[in-house]
Structure formats: C-alpha cells, structure tokens
Amino acid sequence: MSAAKGGLVIFTANSNPSSRELGRRIAEDVNTTIMELLIMVYACRTSCARNIIGVIPYFPYSKQCKMRKRGSIVSKLLASMMCKAGLTHLITMDLHQKEIQGFFNIPVDNLRASPFLLQYIQEEIPDYRNAVIVAKSPASAKRAQSFAERLRLGIAVIHGEAQDAESDLVDGRHSPPTVKNIGAIHPSLEIPLLIPKEKPPITVVGDVGGRIAIIVDDIIDDVDSFLAAAETLKERGAYKIFVMATHGILSSDAPQLIEESAIDEVVVTNTIPHEIQKLQCPKIKTVDISMILSEAIRRIHNGESMSYLFRNIGMDD
C-alpha cells in the first residue's frame, strides 16, 4: 500500500461495510488482522504520510488491560506496537476500560455507542418505561447506572454465583487449608496468608418482578454468564429479557445457546461483523453505528473539534 507524500491516510480495521467477506475474515483471525494493520501503518509511514489515523471500532485484547497476579498486560503491548509502527491518531469505540487510552502516546478518541443503544430501547421496546436496567455483576454497575439515569429507569444488580455442592468438591473449595511452609522464608518472618475469595449465593439487588429486564455490558462473547443472569431474572419474575452490548463477538456456539435460552433479544452494534451469527440466531439484532465513525473521520480530516461527539458524556460513562 503506497501513500502520497505529505498526505493523510485513514484506514479502518474490524469493520468494512463494503466487504462482508473481509469483515468475516477479520472477525475470525484477529492476530492476522493486527499484523496486517501494523504492516499497512508502517508502509504509510515509510511513504512519508503526514498523518496515519487508525479506525478500530473494537480494540482487540482490550480485556487484557489489567495486571492479574504476575501476568502480562497485552493491551499495553498492542498499543506500543501501533505507536511504534507509526500510527498518529486512533479512533475506537467503548474500550473495555477507558484507562487503556493511557497506554498510547498519541491522541485516542474513545467514542460511545450508548446513544444508539438508548435510542433502540426507546424506539423498539414499546413498554420500556416498565423496564429495569440490570448489571449482571457489580463490575458493570456503572454502565447500568448510566443507562438507567438517561432513561429515568430503575437499576438492579446481580451478585454472587450458583451454589453447587458437586462443583465445589471438584474445584477444591472444601479441601484442607494450605499449611504454611516456614522453611521457605526466614524463621523470624511469618507472612499472613490472604483468605481466598468465595462468592455468596446469587442475589438480585432491586425489584425485577413483572418488569422488562435489560442487561447492559460492553462485550458479549462467552454467553454463559448472560444465560445464568437471564435464568435468575426469570426466576425473580422478569417477563422479558433483553441484552444490550456494544461489541458482539459471539464466538463458538454462542448463537445456538442464545436461541435456546430465556433471553428474548440480544442487541449489539456492528463494530464487529456478525452476519453468520444472525443467520444462526434470529434473536440477535444489529444497531448501526457507522454514522458516528464517519463523522469522527470527517472532523479529523477537516481539522474540526471532536468535542461535539462527546457531549453529555460524564467521567463515569
């Protein structure tokens, strides 16, 4: 790929409205796509492009953005590779954690899909006033609160996990406590052992009886947690269950599991192509967010302010 000297180059990854086959390939092989992206960026840089702007609606490996035990932070690695290759600006949408922007030393515009999802709720769910916004875990409570405040609705939070005696025995929760190995450290030191976490039985904080339950999250891939949340909400009296997410990865057998579940509808945006999944599961609906991406590209190209695209967005959104 060549670029005009001193010109501005804008290219997209993860989404290509003009080519379904390319989009399908991107969704299937993200590592190949990342390498192609880096090669294109480097080609533009060596061709003396003035600005190289990447449009990546779904930032890959965005869930690996925190240190877990002594593991690696892959999002940081990916950001460093993109900057080193020559990217000068990044447009993305609904990063798993907005702090990922700090991994880049270039401007990052983290757009929001929530206005489109809120509009879908207001236009496509006739009795949405009888709904309650649900966070399937305390970690997603902030997102649920943002939706609830904008729609003037109540909120519910699911906490805990199903208690199964058989699975408890399998994962060793009832095994004897670990014996301190004093010989491994200095005899005068006794490092206290941290008590392992154990989630309580499932509880739903908030009233969902006779209501429409709308579960909100940023990514839906492995649907087991969503299915468990839907079953819990059904048991608590919810008569309709919707799932709203920005990025619908829906890998493996997720469409089949959704089709056989208590979920009535799954609404995702087109940041990731999912035509095949929709053929497998009619419950999956798509919201088009290309409008905000095209407006962001136009504003950057014309040197206009991006503030308009972030109106009414608070620090916790």
Side-chain angles (χ1 to χ4, degrees):
M1 177 180 178
S2 61
K5 187 173 182 178
L8 179 145
V9 178
I10 299 178
F11 55 89
T12 63
N14 292 106
S15 177
N16 184 355
S18 63
S19 175
R20 289 187 178 181
E21 289 300 322
L22 177 59
R24 199 169 297 153
R25 181 172 60 83
I26 286 173
E28 291 173 354
D29 193 351
V30 65
N31 295 318
T32 300
T33 306
I34 291 170
M35 200 63 215
E36 290 177 353
L37 173 73
L38 297 174
I39 292 172
M40 286 193 292
V41 170
Y42 186 70
C44 294
R45 177 186 174 187
T46 54
S47 298
C48 303
R50 176 169 49 88
N51 288 316
I52 306 171
I53 302 168
V55 183
I56 308 177
Y58 171 64
F59 189 76
Y61 293 100
S62 60
K63 278 195 171 183
Q64 299 184 28
C65 60
K66 291 182 178 179
M67 179 68 74
R68 291 181 175 86
K69 295 185 179 179
R70 299 187 68 245
S72 59
I73 304 177
V74 182
S75 291
K76 169 62 178 174
L77 170 65
L78 203 55
S80 300
M81 291 168 64
M82 290 181 181
C83 294
K84 190 68 175 177
L87 207 65
T88 61
H89 200 126
L90 177 68
I91 300 173
T92 186
M93 178 163 284
D94 278 350
L95 290 169
H96 184 60
Q97 296 288 339
K98 56 181 178 294
E99 290 80 8
I100 294 175
Q101 297 173 83
F103 295 158
F104 292 85
N105 55 14
I106 59 174
V108 177
D109 288 312
N110 181 27
L111 304 176
R112 302 294 195 274
S114 52
F116 299 91
L117 297 176
L118 291 169
Q119 184 180 27
Y120 183 92
I121 293 173
Q122 293 172 320
E123 294 180 355
E124 302 298 329
I125 304 179
D127 46 351
Y128 81 93
R129 288 292 180 189
N130 187 35
V132 59
I133 306 299
V134 179
K136 68 179 180 66
S137 68
S140 55
K142 278 189 177 180
R143 179 181 298 270
Q145 180 183 357
S146 176
F147 273 68
E149 289 176 352
R150 282 169 167 76
L151 293 169
R152 312 295 194 269
L153 298 175
I155 184 174
V157 180
I158 299 175
H159 179 51
E161 64 180 1
Q163 302 295 302
D164 187 352
E166 187 174 335
S167 66
D168 288 351
L169 292 173
V170 170
D171 64 17
R173 294 185 191 179
H174 296 297
S175 58
T178 306
V179 179
K180 295 181 181 179
N181 186 6
I182 303 298
I185 58 176
H186 193 275
S188 63
L189 297 176
E190 288 192 15
I191 300 175
L193 295 176
L194 192 63
I195 299 173
K197 294 181 180 179
E198 185 168 343
K199 291 184 178 179
I202 289 181
T203 30
V204 179
V205 182
D207 181 22
V208 298
R211 313 280 288 279
I212 299 173
I214 303 176
I215 305 173
V216 296
D217 212 335
D218 60 331
I219 300 172
I220 175 169
D221 184 9
D222 181 10
V223 297
D224 289 344
S225 59
F226 291 93
L227 302 184
E231 289 294 335
T232 300
L233 293 171
K234 277 288 186 183
E235 292 172 2
R236 299 301 194 279
Y239 73 93
K240 275 188 182 179
I241 299 173
F242 291 79
V243 175
M244 299 275 178
T246 302
H247 309 294
I249 301 176
L250 299 169
S251 58
S252 189
D253 56 348
Q256 181 182 352
L257 293 174
I258 292 171
E259 185 66 24
E260 298 170 354
S261 71
I263 297 173
D264 293 282
E265 198 167 282
V266 174
V267 182
V268 293
T269 70
N270 55 348
T271 54
I272 298 173
H274 48 265
E275 289 85 358
I276 295 178
Q277 289 89 333
K278 289 180 70 175
L279 292 175
Q280 297 173 346
C281 177
K283 291 182 179 181
I284 300 172
K285 308 295 180 184
T286 306
V287 174
D288 182 25
I289 47 85
S290 59
M291 182 188 306
I292 193 170
L293 292 175
S294 59
E295 179 62 16
I297 293 171
R298 188 193 68 78
R299 285 176 174 270
I300 291 176
H301 180 71
N302 295 330
E304 299 177 15
S305 172
M306 294 286 287
S307 299
Y308 177 78
L309 302 180
F310 294 95
R311 65 193 186 283
N312 299 328
I313 292 178
M315 292 293 291
D316 294 331
D317 289 340

